[in-house]
Amino acid sequence: MAWLVNRLRCMSFGEVGYRMQQAAVGRIERRGMSRWTAPAPGGESTGLPRAATPPLLPGETDAILADAARIRDGDVMLFADARFHVGARPEWNRDPASGVLGPAVFAGDIRITDRALVGDIKHVWELNRHLHLVRLAQAWQASGDDQWLAVLRTQMAGWLEQCPPMTGPNWTSSLEMGIRLINWSLVWQLAGGADGALFGGDGGQALRRAWLDSIYAHCQSIARHLSRHSSANNHLIGELAGLYVATSAWPCWDQSARWRAQAARELEDQALAQFSSDGVNREQAFSYHVFSSEFLFIAALAGQAAGRPFSSQYWAALERALHFLRSVTDVGGHVPMVGDADDGTVWRLDPEHNDRAALLLALGSALAGERTPRSASARWLLCAFPGQHPRAMQPAPPGGWSFPEGGYLLFGRDFGAAREIKGLLDCGPLGYLGIAAHGHADALSLTLSVAGEECLVDPGTYSYWQDQKWRDYFRGTSAHNTVRVDGLDQSVSGGRFMWMRKARSHVERMPQSPGQFDFRGTHNGYMRLADPARHIREVRFDDATGTLVVTDRVAAKGAHTVEQFWHFAPGLAVTRNAGGVQVRGKAFALQLDISGEGATVALVRGQEHPPLGWYSRSYEAKQPCEVVKITTESNGATLECRFTISFF
């Protein structure tokens, strides 16, 4: 009930009306008054051009076939790198983690947060995105061996039998339907299209008819249940992309052209609305920056293949998104884990590499004119969606450092070189729209990498659905390199994906360069206290000395408990010394000197109650890390931390 009240408080009157309309549509569907079987074909007769086999480099075919063999034997990879045994004939409504089998009832009646009913819905959905079925189609393309089509036919037929339209947990999310349609289109393309060998022999035509019926039902459900208002974030982009790709691949019905036109129009709008003019995804979550960009790219490639290119403004938004992503990536390939991340991906075409940011940048390089794309993922995508490619994307410009609209500034020196120092300062909003679902309470936090090694880190997300304390911790202020006042988060949570009061940052002094970086900013997150308090942070970096100085002050009438946190990457050697804290990496050393009236320093690692000192590189995985926690009772006194960096 508390969650419901909070959710309603985040809605406009227009959104309340939309939710009521959605509930009415759901009642109609529950009563069986909607038709889900595809009508007779009445649209265009052809979809996308037939896919070709990409040029494969030595070892790539073997890697594809090895992964396909694991899938044939029932082992699939979910999320970033977690393997699960689901069997050669999966039970598609069963959670592969907990073993709970979801009910085969009307999808609108399923409470997806009820773990006793559906298990962990994230695991169910991840399996049913069908990324692994694409691997089977790749194996057939690469080898010509029909055994892979037989495995694919068995799994696809099983899904269609177990998951009829609007029945079971796999029909509870329009976003998941969109991702599934995208991967189905890749399977369809790579398996030879409508007249391919997949649909030959006994049962082939029946499989095609049943599959097309399900595709139609997916499109109809997405079009009816688009994420709107405060939910119109990456979900809306993913739903529209799935609808657009599907109606380009299967323009079979009279409704197809209307659905496709709507999806194209809204994707054009969302590419500009959800990314700032300097290329930052407005959800303030770098993993979702990649996720949303993947959707926009694959829709654009489908549009080109179908002869319906998106506008130059759309492509320019993608170029800006890649520019930002390239800029925040350090020389070792690390991207700071700002905001939420669940390792969700739109496609998985490279069996050996799953660095999604790197793969996205490689796709951008391929579209910018790279003669022979080094990325297997890019080569497969361009062959799955053949035809006229877009006008070459602009060659990648040198990395930037100032993204004021998006809310991020970079400091450091020697960007792209072996002895790179690269820091990221977060001075942007909490998140996007009314609920800011995937933002973290990280105002004025910073990260730092040295010589391609992560040093000061954002600890990540860990899990959406584990015990509430872990969700609260990883998105809370104490899990970020910033200041907490009176033991409270900067922003006030209203649920696992909802913020009720949002701290707003304000830049008071803008730096002029990353090497002579002199920043001053504040946020209002603690002005809600009975004795309002304002956090003021100054960040200075001097490239000549390799010194970073961070000064914090909490301005208020009375004294407050002030805690400052510094999270160090696992694998670094972090020890106390007479001056403060010594940190050693593979190629660098860092000395942290601390000064502040009444300040006490503690080194914390893997604390359970309350959580502190944890790091999560991938979804559902966590490990201890060293955290320097500095505490003082302050009535405006200054707390200064000086980081001196040297190289071996």
Side-chain angles (χ1 to χ4, degrees), residues 574-578 580-582 601-603 628:
V574 183
T575 56
R576 295 287 303 274
N577 60 18
V581 176
Q582 175 75 32
V601 181
L603 197 57
V628 174

Side-chain angles (χ1 to χ4, degrees), residues 272 275-280 282 320 405-406:
L272 300 178
F275 286 81
S276 67
S277 64
D278 47 20
V280 180
R282 295 188 188 278
R320 292 192 295 268
E405 184 187 348

Side-chain angles (χ1 to χ4, degrees), residues 313-334:
Q313 290 86 354
Y314 183 98
W315 283 100
L318 289 178
E319 289 171 351
R320 292 192 295 268
L322 291 184
H323 176 59
F324 174 74
L325 183 62
R326 188 178 297 109
S327 297
V328 300
T329 302
D330 73 13
V331 71
H334 305 106

